[in-house]
Amino acid sequence: MAPGRSIRFGLGAPGSGMKLLIAIVFISSFLLFQIELIVSKAMLPGFGGTYLIFSVNMAFFQGVLLAGYLYVKTMDRRLGSRAMFPIHLVLFFVSLAVLPLEVVRFSRPEPSSATVLPILALLAATIGPLFFMLSTTSVFTQKVLAESDLPESANPYPLYAVSNLGAFAALFTYPFLVEPLSDLRTQLIAWQAGYLVLTALHLPLWRIAARGPKRPSPTADGGGATRDTPGRIVQWFLYAAAGSSMFLAATNLITLNLPPLPFFWVLPLGVYLLTLALSYKKKHFYPAIVEKAAFLPAAAALVLFLFITQRGVFLDLTLLLAAHLIILFFVCLVAHGELARARPDDRTDLTGYYLVIAAGGFAGGAVVSWVAPLVFKTTSEYLIGPMALFIALALQTPRAPAGSLGKLSWVAAPLVTLASAAAIAYFYPRQGLGLPVLAAALAIPVVFFLARKMRTALAASLALTLVVASSGPWQKTLFNNGTLEFIQRNYYTIYKIYDRDNIRYLEHGVTIHGAQSLRPEFRRVPLGYFHPSTPIGEIMTDEDFKLGRVGIIGLGAGSLAAYARPGQVYDFYELDPDNGVVAQKYFSYLSDSAARVSLIFGDGRLSLSRRAEAAPYDIFIIDAFNSDSIPVHLITVEALEEYRERCVPGGLIVFHITNGYLDLWNPLEAEAREVGLTAMIKTNAGSVHPEASTCIWAVLTDDPRKTRRLLEMGFTRLTGHPNTRPVKPWRDDYVNIFSALEPSAPLASLFQD
């Protein structure tokens, strides 16, 4: 870079004061997003690899972020940035008292503390003060700029674009650079060094803040202030909620159909942050053609949702991913473009504006993350973002003649209403509800349509469609060429049970987690991955292994219980209690089993540690990897050591590692060598029984006799296996998911169903 030049993002050529503000905002946002990822990952082994960690952590971080915005708003109203700065600086230095942060504090809780309140208490006592100060930095720095004598003070909002760029950088560097190249201890040390640098950068900021007014002025320009109306504040809230809920819902749908690798997880959030950055840079990006047809992206989201939820209609997953990201981009571009356009003219209300945005983002995230899994049976939260966007647009006072938007609304309103009518007419008669429900439901948008309130009619039609989509009209309709018997959603997944060709299937997300014949004479024969012809079937029926006590992580339909003989003990460790209800009510493997069967609910590693006094197992089976979601804390060196301790000397540790996207045997072989176990592998590919599924099973043991027997059964040692390549062993504080990517498959194969 040439001397005197600087990177520009709609900021012109900033001077030294502006460069300092840019550096502070970028670094604080980068650190804020990185610590969310670092802390959540550090807590997985100790608190269990469950949704609890991520949902509780995100709730904590969003709550602290909202508290930080409220703090800045309150202090600004009372003092102004100049008088507030000494307090702000002192709080920054006081927050350093919680340093240093150690990984062990996050990853080694007391055995009884893996519940919501202890998690919140741990976060508050460790990262809480630091995160709070980071959450205040962007808004406070913008306020300092707005009240300063810098040339850029007339428009402080581009610093919000810089903040989102910092978040964007943190998001994409973590899974691709930080995580693969360093362990958690190194990450925490580097992060704390960054926090110290940020704290030091606040010292020269005092000089800029000192040039601001002693008390907040009526307006930054000295003119008369125009008070923001309640309607305008509601619009801010709805636009922020629309963007937040849309990106979270898109993430849910994408990771339901694609492997939840970091790459696919960060794409929706990256799109969300990118639209924020584009909307708030000095020359904001909001094309006139998008503005004039602002409701079209929301309508497109509705069409896509209705299209993909009809299970007889499939898209190539590459196209599906592209469709989700394109629609997400335009919905968020409209929401954030309108949000930026509606920002207050009076820059003294800047803090209140950001407080409402934070509240809207928090509400949108809460509805999708916490409410939707309890209320909806499908991923209907995908329509919440478009709904919020339509309502906000309907409330908005037109800035120009209604021509373009009005004409388009005349076309779109009846089309969306007809789509809702078609959905109700198709599904609801099957529920015995019939014409009265259809007529009553359609009356709402029709009334608005006849009243020429076209945008409101569109919003009402979307609300109607949301009700139809979320009320479970799929019951007893054709599903995967079979009959759907049951559907349930919780925080873990969506359970679907359907019958086809005299076989009952359990679909967990998009993966078959168990199947059973409906013919009485065959119901005791496990199917799919657990058929007697599969490697696990051969192990469970081989008399040489003398399996008296069996431990299993992962319940599914309870298929493995079919191999039990009188006198045996089968302990199933299952994360989701609802899975236990499903397995016992809709399948008979557990009730038919000859063994003494126990169901232990909770994370597998945590449950094992709580049952340390129980008798050891002859075989311990980890069946948690046959879907695309990988609970990596169950396949680390520390996890292997725990499994080994819970087994008899020379016991078998068995992993089901069937996966369409990852070669899990590479890290597994490295970890087996690390702890002194022999790792072997076998697949039934090439000779699959008609009632079995292609699968891969790995066995680890330190018993030479059992090793010889497994080799006789056709298992192959992983060491020296042609598909095994040297990788660094995965540990609780180091996981490189990319080291397990299938190297022989082209990238396109990652999108295959």
Side-chain angles (χ1 to χ4, degrees), residues 161-441:
V162 173
S163 175
N164 284 285
L165 283 179
F168 188 88
L171 187 70
F172 279 90
T173 56
Y174 188 80
F176 299 113
L177 292 176
V178 176
E179 187 179 34
L181 299 178
S182 59
D183 58 26
L184 282 171
R185 188 175 305 278
T186 304
Q187 292 171 28
L188 267 178
I189 292 173
W191 187 90
Q192 292 172 87
Y195 191 86
L196 292 174
V197 170
L198 178 66
T199 304
L201 287 176
H202 276 72
L203 293 173
L205 182 62
W206 197 333
R207 186 177 58 181
I208 298 175
R211 298 200 297 262
K214 293 182 179 180
R215 296 284 300 175
S217 58
T219 70
D221 299 320
T226 57
R227 221 170 163 72
D228 290 307
T229 63
R232 196 181 190 194
I233 293 173
V234 169
Q235 288 177 39
W236 295 346
F237 182 90
L238 288 173
Y239 285 133
S244 173
S245 62
M246 187 67 190
F247 107 75
L248 286 170
T251 303
N252 288 348
L253 262 70
I254 288 173
T255 55
L256 185 67
N257 293 282
L258 295 172
L261 301 175
F263 177 71
F264 295 122
W265 182 80
V266 301
L267 281 177
L269 184 52
V271 169
Y272 171 81
L273 294 172
L274 179 62
T275 57
L276 276 170
L278 291 173
S279 299
Y280 282 90
K281 69 189 188 77
K282 189 174 183 180
K283 295 182 179 179
H284 67 278
F285 179 80
Y286 189 27
I289 189 172
V290 177
E291 178 190 349
K292 291 179 180 178
F295 67 88
L296 286 181
L302 168 64
V303 172
L304 176 66
F305 177 78
L306 293 178
F307 185 66
I308 63 177
T309 52
Q310 304 305 309
R311 292 304 301 255
V313 182
F314 292 96
L315 281 175
D316 176 83
L317 289 184
T318 308
L319 297 177
L320 187 60
L321 176 65
H324 279 308
L325 294 178
I326 291 171
I327 290 177
L328 174 64
F329 175 81
F330 282 104
V331 169
C332 288
L333 186 65
V334 170
H336 296 151
E338 294 293 341
L339 188 60
R341 185 187 291 275
R343 62 182 183 259
D345 300 323
D346 178 9
R347 282 178 281 124
T348 61
D349 198 30
L350 180 146
T351 54
Y353 171 68
Y354 283 119
L355 179 62
V356 174
I357 290 177
F362 177 81
V367 170
V368 171
S369 299
W370 306 336
V371 178
L374 299 178
V375 176
F376 301 147
K377 291 188 176 182
T378 65
T379 50
S380 301
E381 68 268 22
Y382 195 77
L383 297 182
I384 294 175
M387 271 295 307
L389 181 58
F390 260 88
I391 294 172
L393 290 171
L395 292 174
Q396 184 169 287
T397 303
R399 293 179 302 274
S404 56
L405 189 60
K407 291 176 182 177
L408 288 171
S409 298
W410 272 99
V411 176
L415 287 178
V416 175
T417 305
L418 288 174
S420 302
I424 296 174
Y426 179 75
F427 287 121
Y428 269 73
R430 302 180 182 217
Q431 298 294 304
L433 299 176
L435 188 61
V437 172
L438 173 65

